[in-house]
Amino acid sequence: MTQPITWQKSSFSGHGEAETCVELAVVDGKVWLRESDTPAAAIRTTPAQLGTFIRTAKTGALDHLGSPCYGAS
């Protein structure tokens, strides 16, 4: 029998059900991520890859991805 996935959200996301946030779950050593407002769309990664992403984001190296000019020639 397959166990249901237990999703966790950050304590920074607020406490109401209407709060939208990123949710995490760990299944068989893999980390699953989803947006609470679109729960059917989830991605899977490894703890090491998620750690690399978080460290890179904290340096600001990905800030340009939110720019409206990103990808424009």
Side-chain angles (χ1 to χ4, degrees):
M1 181 177 195
T2 303
Q3 295 286 4
I5 296 176
T6 302
W7 293 95
Q8 298 178 350
K9 69 177 183 175
S10 169
S11 59
F12 292 103
S13 296
H15 301 290
E17 289 296 319
E19 301 291 334
T20 57
C21 61
V22 173
E23 297 176 318
L24 293 151
V26 177
V27 179
D28 296 329
K30 301 288 186 188
V31 179
W32 288 80
L33 298 117
R34 71 179 185 181
E35 286 282 343
S36 60
D37 58 342
T38 53
I43 60 170
R44 182 183 69 195
T45 189
T46 66
Q49 290 170 329
L50 179 59
T52 298
F53 173 78
I54 291 169
R55 285 188 300 277
T56 303
K58 283 183 174 183
T59 69
L62 305 175
D63 290 353
H64 69 282
L65 298 176
S67 169
C69 296
Y70 180 72
S73 51

